[in-house]
Amino acid sequence: GENVEQHPSTLSVQEGDSAVIKCTYSDSASNYFPWYKQELGKGPQLIIDIRSNVGEKKDQRIAVTLNKTAKHFSLHITETQPEDSAVYFCAAETGANNLFFGTGTRLTVIP
Amino acid sequence: EADIYQTPRYLVIGTGKKITLECSQTMGHDKMYWYQQDPGMELHLIHYSYGVNSTEKGDLSSESTVSRIRTEHFPLTLESARPSHTSQYLCASSDTRTAKNEKLFFGSGTQLSVL
C-alpha cells in the first residue's frame, strides 16, 4: 500500500520569506498528488495539485514540484503572509482512488 | 465554498453511549468519506462509500460503522463509545464523474470526547 512521509512537522518563517514542505511516497503507481490547507476549526481545503505527467505547477504564490523517479514532491510558498499560517497536508492517490495523506506540517508565518 | 455539513460540531459523552455523527452534502457527490484526525494532525481514512448502499473500510481499522441509504447522507455510528474513540472526525465528498474527480470537499469536523 501507499505510505506518504512529510517534513518538516513544524515550520516557522518570517513574513515575506519562502516556505518549502517536502513529501515522499512509496507506491510508484500513484499518479495524483494534491496539497490541502487546514485552518483552525475547519476541514482541509485543496490548494493545488499535480499529476505525474507534469513536473511543476504554479498558482500565484504557490508552486508544486514532482520528481516521479525519486518519488518525492514539494510545496513552495513564496512571499508568505500571516494568512498562510495553517496546517498543510500532502497526499498521494492510492489504488482504490482514495487519498493517503502525509502527517501534516504546521506553518507559522511571523509578522 | 463546499456544501458539506457535519453535526454536532462538538460532542462530549460518557463511556458506553451509542452515538451517531451526521454528515450531509448538497452537491450531489457520489463518493463520500470519513477520516479520523488524531491530535498529532494525521488524517486516517476509516470509511468510504461509492454511492447508495455502498460502504467500504478504509486504511485504518475502526469500530465505527457507516451507512449510505441516501446519496446526500453518510452517518457514522459508534455502538459503545470508549475514551480511545476521542478524536476529530472529518467527513468529505467527491464527484467521481467529473474531470477533477479526486478533489475532496471536507466538512468542518466533529470533535468527539469520550469520558
Side-chain angles (χ1 to χ4, degrees):
Chain A
E2 181 67 277
N3 185 47
V4 178
E5 294 188 0
Q6 182 172 347
H7 300 281
S9 57
T10 60
L11 179 61
S12 292
V13 298
Q14 290 292 137
E15 182 177 358
D17 288 350
S18 295
V20 180
I21 303 170
K22 299 182 179 182
C23 290
T24 60
Y25 62 98
S26 60
D27 188 350
S28 57
S30 293
N31 286 314
Y32 175 70
F33 308 92
W35 287 86
Y36 282 76
K37 175 184 181 182
Q38 186 176 22
E39 297 178 333
L40 193 62
K42 297 182 180 180
Q45 187 170 12
L46 178 70
I47 55 171
I48 195 169
D49 55 14
I50 191 167
R51 298 181 188 277
S52 58
N53 58 347
V54 175
E56 184 173 358
K57 184 176 179 181
K58 192 173 182 179
D59 183 4
Q60 299 182 352
R61 297 186 296 108
I62 295 173
V64 58
T65 59
L66 171 65
N67 183 327
K68 200 154 168 51
T69 303
K71 289 191 280 190
H72 65 71
F73 56 114
S74 301
L75 177 71
H76 303 253
I77 306 174
T78 58
E79 301 172 29
T80 53
Q81 300 167 5
E83 51 265 39
D84 294 331
S85 295
V87 178
Y88 291 82
F89 293 95
C90 62
E93 189 178 39
T94 70
N97 297 121
N98 294 324
L99 292 181
F100 194 100
F101 284 88
T103 48
T105 297
R106 188 177 301 278
L107 173 65
T108 302
V109 179
I110 304 166
Chain B
E1 196 69 27
D3 295 318
I4 180 164
Y5 308 99
Q6 290 186 243
T7 57
R9 186 71 180 89
Y10 301 95
L11 181 61
V12 181
I13 60 167
T15 298
K17 299 291 184 184
K18 177 180 178 179
I19 61 161
T20 296
L21 307 185
E22 302 289 347
C23 176
S24 294
Q25 50 96 6
T26 57
M27 298 172 283
H29 288 176
D30 54 336
K31 196 170 180 183
M32 295 188 74
Y33 315 75
W34 275 103
Y35 281 86
Q36 185 173 336
Q37 185 170 32
D38 60 30
M41 304 184 300
E42 287 191 53
L43 287 160
H44 299 286
L45 180 65
I46 52 175
H47 300 284
Y48 62 102
S49 164
Y50 289 109
V52 172
N53 294 325
S54 157
T55 60
E56 306 286 342
K57 292 191 179 298
D59 305 315
L60 181 68
S61 176
S62 174
E63 294 170 344
S64 59
T65 59
V66 292
S67 62
R68 190 92 181 272
I69 299 172
R70 301 198 316 265
T71 299
E72 62 272 20
H73 196 212
F74 191 40
L76 180 145
T77 298
L78 275 167
E79 290 293 332
S80 180
R82 297 204 302 271
S84 60
H85 296 138
T86 294
S87 190
Q88 164 98 313
Y89 291 85
L90 287 160
C91 180
S93 70
S94 66
D95 187 346
T96 65
R97 300 157 298 184
T98 62
K100 293 235 174 187
N101 55 15
E102 305 95 341
K103 181 178 180 179
L104 299 187
F105 292 85
F106 281 89
S108 295
T110 293
Q111 179 60 51
L112 173 65
S113 296
V114 184
L115 307 178

